Amino acid sequence: MLAHTCPCMTKQKAATNQSTQGRWRIAAIMFLDVKGFGRLSQIQLQMYIERILPDIAKIIQHHRDRFMDLNTWGDAIFAVSEDPVLLAGHALVIRDYFRQTNFEAKGLPNQLQSRISLHTGTVYHGFDSIRSREGVIGADVTLTARIEPITLPGEVWVTRDFAAMLAPHATAEKLEFDDLGGKELAKNYGPRQLLRLRRSSEPPVLSKTAEMALKSEETLGSLRQSYDIIGIGAMNTDFIATASSLRRLNPNLIAEHEQLFEFNKERPATKEEVDKVVHLIGHTILTPSLGGSSFNTIHALASSLSDLKLGFIGVAGASEASSGFIETLKTLGVDTHLIKASDQQSGMCVSYITRGERAMLTWPGANIEMAEHLREMRSQIVDALGRARLVHVTSLFDNESPQLVANILREAKDQNPWLQISFDPGHDWVRQIKSDERSDPIKKIMDMSSYLFLNRTEFEMLGSDVDIRDDYDVANDIFKHLSSQTILILLKKYDEIRVFHRIHKKLKEIQYFNTPYEKSQVEDATGAGDVFAAGLFLAVFVPGLELKDGVELGLRLARRKLLTAGASEYSTFGRTVLEYIDSAYSARGTGSR
């Protein structure tokens, strides 16, 4: 008999097809049983069959044709499909059904809870002559059955094989895994590395062992920090020429200044060039502020939501801003132990805005020590990234760091396949990709990325040299550089956000429109895109929020940023974020207190 010891089927075959040859196939396998089922009385067993199974049947009824095998016997449900996303989604929905159902109202004890196991392996899919139906059999079916009895009630446990098959889709489906370590399977089947499957909006669940460890004063001090987001990037002192300060100048002088910049671009410069520009424009016009693209994003996130566990990797030099990089992040609760404190002057970036357009001139300063820092702290950095959910990477100006960052990210991904990489390459790295100048490591980072942030200029630069006018065609061209793991590309503009992603190898586009400020209203555009990224990430980590919420929240934070200089408005982000979350919850009937 096929299908382990439990006959299962998806479709019948006519007698003329009974001799059809079966075949071995790679498939995802699910076993489910119900804790407490064995204590049900005869009449309660009848209630279960008549009142519970029909509810579960409704969950799967629209996808029956996508199951290779499907059956129940007693309280158990067995399912096989070539689609791990389908099986993972159904497992969580059925888990939720058992968590949320009032079983007493259905004549059953409320203690009933599901235990669900998922595995991916090789199954033989063939025709069962006894049942006159198709079924499956195989050692991996048996293995899945041995996981289900040890699964904690109310949870879904999976093998690393299943997690690896689901991993390319996990971000899009908003799914997460918690590592459970090695577990002894039922019936002396031996040990297996297992993980808990949950939605991204659900907090990690600690095992009993971990709970005991947390309560132990002995181990509390030795527990390692885990992170929601870690930033990697340059740390610069931004010298910002705001719109209001420039309005005080003679128009002829502004025209002279504009010749020093390339608008909508960030250009690397020597210290002499930057010093000359700062001297020409004058310290009375330029406002110093802590900056750097990834630094801005982490700074904005920490200011927006204190619950996030954040870290940063970079080199902090001496700054003319009122407070230092490390002190600022520490005050906000960001882990700074992977930041190198340098005696050198920090990087310097002159940011100039006129007629609503921005240009930047950047000297790396202490950031030139980044390569040495990455080499010296490599093992600690890989370890930290291996315990993070997302890393946000932005450009660096030295020639060695891109390759080091790419290697570190690859190693961290090997350690933690569910680490998501967000990448904002910036104008200079995009230029290198386009010119093929030392671009291999930058392309490798892009290839590993789940999120790719581009502004209009960078977006068009990455597109084909052919005159492609339609954004959809440009995005299609850019996706030729990206792996199948890249699920999201964001085009940042003041008036519109376009999200491009692939589903079943087809490019999909969502547009979000925004009422832009008049160019005369924009005080400072430096870091507006970085702040937008922070808003988008908040939707990933706040339960109940979706991508569209992240875009809206990012736009709200960016709009506040555009009206002020530097980070002066970051302290108000927390109120903006909480107001949005409250309104989003209320609109969906979730409620908030």
Side-chain angles (χ1 to χ4, degrees):
M1 181 184 293
L2 296 174
H4 189 44
T5 57
C6 39
C8 315
M9 54 80 74
T10 50
K11 44 191 174 181
Q12 296 202 18
K13 287 194 172 185
T16 55
N17 292 331
Q18 289 184 11
S19 62
T20 300
Q21 181 69 41
R23 63 189 179 98
W24 291 97
R25 300 165 71 175
I26 302 296
I29 308 158
M30 180 184 85
F31 269 90
L32 175 152
D33 86 340
V34 179
K35 180 72 172 176
F37 184 85
R39 294 190 295 273
L40 297 182
S41 66
Q42 287 287 83
I43 190 64
Q44 287 174 330
L45 290 172
Q46 179 184 340
M47 294 300 100
Y48 183 88
I49 297 297
E50 294 178 353
R51 299 177 180 180
I52 304 305
L53 287 186
D55 289 345
I56 298 175
K58 290 178 183 177
I59 295 172
I60 62 176
Q61 64 183 359
H62 297 301
H63 302 100
R64 286 183 180 274
D65 61 339
R66 294 171 63 189
F67 288 97
M68 295 164 54
D69 220 330
L70 183 64
N71 195 33
T72 66
W73 60 103
D75 61 322
I77 296 176
F78 171 76
V80 182
S81 172
E82 290 182 299
D83 186 349
V85 177
L86 174 74
L87 222 52
H90 280 72
L92 290 172
V93 172
I94 295 172
R95 180 208 67 176
D96 292 345
Y97 171 81
F98 277 91
R99 284 181 176 182
Q100 299 164 7
T101 296
N102 181 355
F103 287 103
E104 285 186 354
K106 295 177 178 286
L108 294 163
N110 260 338
Q111 289 74 27
L112 297 181
Q113 282 290 347
S114 64
R115 296 184 295 202
I116 304 175
S117 61
L118 295 168
H119 173 53
T120 294
T122 305
V123 300
Y124 181 77
H125 185 220
F127 188 74
D128 185 334
S129 300
I130 301 298
R131 297 184 295 142
S132 289
R133 295 175 177 180
E134 289 182 338
V136 302
I137 194 169
D140 286 302
V141 173
T142 307
L143 187 150
T144 315
R146 298 296 178 258
I147 298 170
E148 167 265 303
I150 68 166
T151 302
L152 288 181
E155 295 189 358
V156 179
W157 286 12
V158 308
T159 61
R160 289 194 178 276
D161 299 308
F162 182 88
M165 196 173 182
L166 187 65
H169 314 281
T171 302
E173 300 296 326
K174 294 199 170 184
L175 300 175
E176 296 279 352
F177 300 96
D178 301 323
D179 195 343
L180 299 170
K183 298 286 184 183
E184 284 290 333
L185 305 191
K187 298 188 179 181
N188 299 315
Y189 208 78
R192 197 78 176 188
Q193 295 291 318
L194 300 177
L195 305 101
R196 179 187 294 104
L197 173 68
R198 59 179 171 84
R199 295 185 181 87
S200 300
S201 58
E202 299 167 344
V205 181
L206 292 175
S207 66
K208 293 294 181 184
T209 304
E211 286 180 347
M212 291 175 64
L214 282 171
K215 293 174 183 177
S216 167
E217 290 184 1
E218 255 183 15
T219 57
L220 188 60
S222 63
L223 287 176
R224 298 181 303 166
Q225 169 85 20
S226 60
Y227 303 89
D228 291 311
I229 305 178
I230 296 177
I232 300 178
M235 306 173 86
N236 300 317
T237 301
D238 291 339
F239 291 89
I240 301 167
T242 63
S244 59
S245 65
L246 291 174
R247 280 195 290 268
R248 302 196 300 265
L249 293 180
N250 184 303
N252 293 331
L253 194 56
I254 293 177
E256 182 182 333
H257 292 163
E258 289 178 353
Q259 296 177 21
L260 302 170
F261 299 92
E262 295 178 59
F263 283 90
N264 283 322
K265 296 180 181 179
E266 178 179 11
R267 182 170 68 83
T270 65
K271 187 174 187 304
E272 289 71 26
E273 286 181 284
V274 172
D275 284 341
K276 179 182 178 181
V277 171
V278 170
H279 176 74
L280 285 173
I281 298 175
H283 283 276
T284 57
I285 299 298
L286 296 172
T287 302
S289 177
L290 298 179
S293 186
S294 186
F295 176 86
N296 289 335
T297 299
I298 297 298
H299 189 179
L301 280 165
S303 302
S304 300
L305 200 63
S306 60
D307 303 282
L308 292 175
K309 295 177 181 178
L310 305 171
F312 195 82
I313 299 166
V315 178
S319 173
E320 295 184 34
S322 56
S323 60
F325 297 96
I326 294 175
E327 294 75 16
T328 297
L329 294 182
K330 275 187 176 179
T331 301
L332 293 168
V334 178
D335 182 9
T336 61
H337 87 278
L338 292 175
I339 298 177
K340 176 182 179 179
S342 172
D343 294 331
Q344 286 195 48
Q345 188 175 356
S346 73
M348 297 170 63
C349 176
V350 183
S351 179
Y352 197 93
I353 184 168
T354 181
R355 297 189 295 275
E357 301 296 334
R358 182 197 65 173
M360 292 192 292
L361 208 60
T362 305
W363 169 66
N367 293 301
I368 206 71
E369 299 175 21
M370 186 66 163
E372 179 185 2
H373 178 53
L374 293 172
R375 281 192 291 266
E376 290 179 350
M377 301 292 290
R378 183 186 183 110
S379 62
Q380 294 94 321
I381 292 171
V382 171
D383 178 68
L385 294 177
R387 290 177 283 110
R389 296 172 66 184
L390 186 145
V391 55
H392 184 53
V393 182
T394 58
S395 61
L396 297 157
F397 283 107
D398 68 288
N399 295 334
E400 292 183 85
S401 290
Q403 185 64 64
L404 291 166
V405 170
N407 293 343
I408 285 171
L409 292 175
R410 180 70 273 163
E411 193 173 341
K413 286 279 284 183
D414 290 341
Q415 178 176 313
N416 173 15
W418 305 283
L419 172 67
Q420 297 179 67
I421 297 173
S422 166
F423 188 31
D424 186 342
H427 182 271
D428 189 55
W429 275 11
V430 167
R431 180 191 59 77
Q432 289 185 45
I433 293 172
K434 197 61 185 173
S435 65
D436 213 25
E437 176 191 345
R438 303 187 305 273
S439 62
D440 281 350
I442 302 171
K443 290 178 180 177
K444 288 178 182 177
I445 298 172
M446 186 179 292
D447 184 63
M448 289 185 280
S449 298
S450 297
Y451 297 86
L452 177 65
F453 291 85
L454 300 170
N455 65 25
R456 162 59 67 179
T457 304
E458 296 156 2
F459 181 79
E460 292 178 347
M461 281 180 66
L462 271 184
S464 172
D465 291 328
V466 179
D467 186 18
I468 300 176
R469 299 185 181 278
D470 183 80
D471 284 349
Y472 184 88
D473 292 334
V474 175
N476 247 325
D477 199 61
I478 292 173
F479 266 94
K480 295 174 185 176
H481 300 283
L482 307 176
S483 76
S484 59
Q485 294 180 353
T486 305
I487 61 166
L488 181 68
I489 178 172
L490 272 142
L491 171 62
K492 301 179 294 187
K493 296 191 290 184
Y494 294 146
D495 58 340
E496 180 183 1
I497 300 295
R498 292 194 179 189
V499 178
F500 300 94
H501 60 105
R502 286 186 294 191
I503 298 178
H504 298 304
K505 299 182 180 180
K506 291 184 178 179
L507 188 65
K508 302 294 182 180
E509 176 185 6
I510 308 174
Q511 292 178 262
Y512 300 90
F513 295 100
N514 176 46
T515 303
Y517 289 125
E518 296 293 331
K519 290 184 176 181
S520 60
Q521 294 177 282
V522 177
E523 177 73 354
D524 170 33
T526 312
D530 308 323
V531 167
F532 171 81
L536 183 85
F537 294 149
L538 287 170
V540 175
F541 294 100
V542 175
L545 296 190
E546 301 171 357
L547 176 64
K548 62 181 180 182
D549 296 302
V551 172
E552 175 60 31
L553 197 45
L555 286 171
R556 291 192 184 192
L557 296 184
R559 285 172 68 85
R560 295 192 71 87
K561 166 70 201 74
L562 288 169
L563 297 178
T564 56
S568 59
E569 194 71 9
Y570 284 18
S571 60
T572 68
F573 285 177
R575 184 171 67 249
T576 301
V577 168
L578 291 178
E579 287 174 354
Y580 182 84
I581 292 172
D582 286 344
S583 65
Y585 281 11
S586 298
R588 291 159 202 176
T590 308
S592 178
R593 296 192 178 194

